[in-house]
Amino acid sequence: MPQTWQMLDYLATDYAGAVKDGAIVSASEYAEMREFATTARQRIQALPSNAARPALLTQADQLVALVNAKAPAARVSQQAHALAAALLKAYPIPTAPDHAPNLARGAALYQARCAACHGATGHGDGPAGRQLDPRPVDFTDPTRADQRSPLSLYEVISQGVEGTAMASFADQLSVADRWALAYYVGSLAYSRQSAAGASMWQHQRSARAQIAGLKELSQTRVDQLSPALGTKQARAIVGYLRAHPEALQSALGGLPLARGRIEASVSAYKAGAKAEATQLALSAYLDGVEPVEPLLNARDSALRARLETAMGAYRTALSKGAPLQSITQQADAVDGLLAQAQAVTAETAADPSSTFIGAYTILVREGLEALLIVVALLAFLRKAERPMQVRYVHAGWMLALVAGGITWALARYAISISGAGRELTEGLSSLFAAIVLLSVGLWMHQKSMGGRWQAYLKEKMAGALDRRSAWFLLGLAFISVYREVFETILFYAALWSEGQGIWLLGGIVAGMLTLALIAWVLLRTSRRLPIAQFFSASSILIAVLAIVLTGKGVAALQEAGWVSVTVAPWPRVELLGLYATWQTLLAQVAVVVLLGAGFIFNLYRDHHRRRARTAAGPVPMEQDV
């Protein structure tokens, strides 16, 4: 598949050298273009079957027809690039480096590996290149460079070009080196515009709206951006970003991107492209705000909450086709909040005390829910006199901590957790935990009534808990803790970049000591409670946690764009899972109704059993199951 994509990209770029105004200007080049179009079509036909392949073949047939008809270069280039993009979507391959390429390394590699043919400055005039036919590519030619992306250059470096002196470097250079070389070569045509591009990138929202990260930059061509930005500005911005790809990975870069995409969403809505406008608005949050959210939350959590709600309401208004005036007003309100957030996060290094307090409050806030669930499980097992099963609960929360560490390592060194992925993980795990807690709460309420706990412990615990329930407890402890760990490590990653590591660690230690103290107090208190009261109190606690997690789960799905947002007139209290939207409230009301119905049913059953027992006379406790 990479070779097919490269062939299409090469055809899109070089067709202009074969045909002009419907006439062949180079017979050999034209023959090669026809061969590439036909071969690409054959290779697509040979790809594994999937739902997208018929459409790809149709596009390939259209490309072959255009080349055979000597169609204008712009039309052929557009068709070839569109087919290449559709091919990548249908048969994905890695299209970007894991980290920002090292341009200094790329420059050194170029002089060692490429300058002999392509020239020391990239003009295609190296001493060895003068003897070659065809001549080496002039990397400084902006017209040709406008049609090449870093991915195009990476594939050429990796695969080589058949029929030329350009050989494959896949066996000689690492993936990181090939990306570094591709980015360096791709910047040569725009070196003079790079300084101007830095200023444009920092201050022009329309520019920020185009490129969210390395994945997009690696596939971006100047001719893609020219319609929106103009060729001069597009060249300047592309030149700057290719020479300084690390600018995309700045933690503070997301808010200008978000502002640009909100502006672009309004323009798309005005043009009648409602779906595109909604997608741009979602990208503004997931690609722009989400990466900066932990830092913003540590600096001004109230502003972060208002921003999330406003952006969710704006997306819903777009999807429902609200009047343009209303859309514009909401977009202006969102932009104002983004500007405030940009000012807050643009401050220099955080104050040590704010870092300490932020680290402390994050751990206590995020850890308290998980702690309450784990403590309830441990207290239950001790009341049930099942000390052997305690290890399953401990194993669950310990595995969650290990999984959290692995998640952080993968996010830091191997993969990038997208905003949508993060919100979906939080939302779905919260709802799963809420469902489990709902059933556990109803079960514990049932056992708290009429002494039924005694019969349960005597006749059920020994078998059921040993076989299945022990693993159930491990799973509940794991999911309850992991969802909080997942959230917390992302907050700490943002605070760590502030350069206050000692104060951050101090806040973490203080938070851990606080949680340990809370756990000790809760366990001590639970030992003193009669077991019936313990079951009753635990059922209420777990029911409340189910309601809280339901609110948090739906809110996370709203942020991921899975659930719409309708603002409601009440305060937002995240610790209680209370969000100012009707969707979260209705979900929580549904859980309350289920809990109420379950508790009433338990009361009715207990009352009915008592009446039956009274009518039948005394029975041994062991038969009261």
Side-chain angles (χ1 to χ4, degrees):
M1 211 292 285
Q3 294 86 350
T4 307
W5 184 92
Q6 180 192 355
M7 193 175 295
L8 292 168
D9 185 79
Y10 189 80
L11 189 156
T13 304
D14 283 16
Y15 178 84
V19 175
K20 185 176 182 181
D21 298 328
I24 298 173
V25 296
S26 171
S28 60
E29 283 286 330
Y30 180 63
E32 186 178 48
M33 296 300 101
R34 294 185 65 183
E35 179 188 357
F36 282 178
T38 303
T39 303
R41 203 271 182 208
Q42 293 171 347
R43 292 192 173 192
I44 292 173
Q45 176 69 53
L47 288 172
S49 180
N50 68 16
R53 194 175 67 171
L56 293 175
L57 289 172
T58 299
Q59 288 181 274
D61 288 336
Q62 293 170 353
L63 177 62
V64 170
L66 288 171
V67 173
N68 289 339
K70 307 179 187 64
R75 182 72 184 89
V76 172
S77 177
Q78 181 184 28
Q79 182 67 23
H81 280 310
L83 177 55
L87 185 63
L88 273 183
K89 186 176 181 180
Y91 298 91
I93 59 172
T95 56
D98 293 329
H99 303 289
N102 184 335
L103 269 290
R105 174 64 175 166
L109 288 169
Y110 178 84
Q111 295 302 324
R113 303 273 185 165
C114 312
C117 292
H118 291 278
T121 56
H123 285 79
D125 56 355
R130 297 191 190 102
Q131 314 301 319
L132 297 176
D133 184 22
R135 292 287 294 273
V137 169
D138 178 0
F139 293 126
T140 65
D141 176 10
T143 302
R144 192 176 197 281
D146 287 351
Q147 300 183 59
R148 309 305 301 274
S149 65
L151 177 60
S152 305
L153 299 167
Y154 173 82
E155 290 296 340
V156 170
I157 294 167
S158 300
Q159 308 295 335
V161 179
E162 188 176 350
T164 73
M166 180 63 199
S168 167
F169 285 86
D171 294 333
Q172 303 175 45
L173 299 177
S174 67
V175 170
D177 281 350
R178 279 178 272 156
W179 276 115
L181 186 54
Y183 266 77
Y184 174 75
V185 168
S187 70
L188 293 177
Y190 312 114
S191 57
R192 293 182 180 179
Q193 295 102 322
S194 180
S199 177
M200 293 177 186
W201 179 249
Q202 291 298 323
H203 302 294
Q204 295 189 20
R205 280 181 285 169
S206 58
R208 288 277 192 167
Q210 307 300 319
I211 304 170
L214 283 174
K215 184 176 181 180
E216 290 185 8
L217 177 59
S218 295
Q219 298 181 55
T220 295
R221 308 182 307 275
V222 167
D223 67 352
Q224 285 177 304
L225 301 184
S226 294
L229 304 178
T231 300
K232 182 178 180 180
Q233 182 170 314
R235 285 175 174 173
I237 290 172
V238 166
Y240 168 68
L241 291 178
R242 288 186 185 177
H244 303 280
E246 69 280 356
L248 283 170
Q249 296 186 315
S250 167
L252 304 182
L255 293 173
L257 168 70
R259 298 183 70 185
R261 296 214 161 167
I262 290 295
E263 182 180 89
S265 74
V266 175
S267 299
Y269 196 80
K270 288 179 180 178
K274 186 174 76 173
E276 181 183 354
T278 305
Q279 186 59 40
L280 284 167
L282 181 60
S283 174
Y285 177 77
L286 294 177
D287 299 320
V289 176
E290 181 74 12
V292 191
E293 186 182 80
L295 180 59
L296 178 59
N297 194 70
R299 297 284 183 86
D300 192 338
S301 59
L303 174 59
R304 189 266 307 165
R306 294 199 306 274
L307 180 58
E308 282 182 2
T309 301
M311 294 186 79
Y314 175 64
R315 293 194 303 271
T316 300
L318 289 171
S319 64
K320 291 185 176 180
L324 179 60
Q325 182 179 0
S326 175
I327 292 295
T328 303
Q329 290 174 350
Q330 289 192 58
D332 289 342
V334 169
D335 185 69
L337 292 172
L338 287 169
Q340 292 180 46
Q342 196 171 345
V344 168
T345 55
E347 297 173 2
T348 55
D351 178 71
S353 60
S354 66
T355 299
F356 177 89
I357 294 172
Y360 174 81
T361 55
I362 286 169
L363 183 57
V364 173
R365 184 187 69 225
E366 300 296 333
L368 186 58
E369 291 171 12
L371 176 67
L372 291 174
I373 295 172
V374 171
V375 166
L377 295 176
L378 293 174
F380 162 71
L381 292 172
R382 288 178 178 174
K383 285 287 185 182
E385 299 181 358
R386 303 301 298 172
M388 293 299 294
Q389 312 307 329
V390 168
R391 60 184 179 180
Y392 287 89
V393 177
H394 287 309
W397 68 260
M398 288 179 182
L399 286 173
L401 295 181
V402 173
I406 294 173
T407 301
W408 163 244
L410 291 175
R412 181 67 179 85
Y413 298 110
I415 63 173
S416 175
I417 298 178
S418 68
R422 170 181 165 178
E423 296 298 344
L424 289 176
T425 298
E426 294 174 10
L428 295 177
S429 62
S430 293
L431 292 178
F432 175 77
I435 292 171
V436 173
L437 290 176
L438 178 64
S439 62
V440 171
L442 292 172
W443 174 83
M444 295 190 83
H445 180 259
Q446 181 189 40
K447 299 307 174 189
S448 70
M449 308 183 67
R452 296 194 68 206
W453 57 272
Q454 295 180 357
Y456 177 81
L457 295 180
K458 289 183 179 181
E459 297 198 9
K460 299 293 185 183
M461 181 65 73
L465 196 54
D466 284 339
R467 289 193 300 270
R468 293 186 302 272
S469 300
W471 292 102
F472 167 80
L473 294 174
L474 185 150
L476 179 58
F478 176 87
I479 195 67
S480 300
V481 174
Y482 178 71
R483 65 169 300 277
E484 304 297 348
V485 171
F486 183 81
E487 174 84 4
T488 302
I489 59 176
L490 296 177
F491 278 110
Y492 283 156
L495 290 178
W496 187 266
S497 65
E498 297 265 285
Q500 301 285 349
I502 297 298
W503 292 94
L504 175 64
L505 293 175
I508 293 173
V509 171
M512 292 172 64
L513 291 175
T514 300
L515 291 175
L517 178 61
I518 294 173
W520 180 79
V521 171
L522 290 175
L523 287 171
R524 290 272 297 183
T525 303
S526 68
R527 288 194 184 101
R528 298 174 182 175
L529 284 176
I531 194 165
Q533 293 182 22
F534 167 77
F535 269 98
S536 181
S538 296
S539 66
I540 295 173
L541 171 64
I542 288 177
V544 170
L545 288 175
I547 297 170
V548 170
L549 289 177
T550 298
K552 290 191 171 186
V554 174
L557 295 183
Q558 286 178 320
E559 292 170 14
W562 279 32
V563 178
S564 61
V565 176
T566 305
V567 178
W570 52 74
R572 174 173 174 144
V573 186
E574 293 185 32
L575 185 62
L576 302 178
L578 183 63
Y579 295 82
T581 73
W582 285 104
Q583 288 81 4
T584 53
L585 176 69
L586 291 175
Q588 290 175 312
V589 167
V591 173
V592 170
V593 169
L594 288 174
L595 286 167
F599 284 5
I600 291 173
F601 178 74
N602 286 340
L603 289 170
Y604 172 79
R605 261 185 91 181
D606 183 65
H607 177 70
H608 180 73
R609 292 173 63 86
R610 287 177 182 272
R611 290 185 61 183
R613 183 186 305 154
T614 301
V619 295
M621 180 66 70
E622 287 78 2
Q623 296 179 16
D624 184 21
V625 180

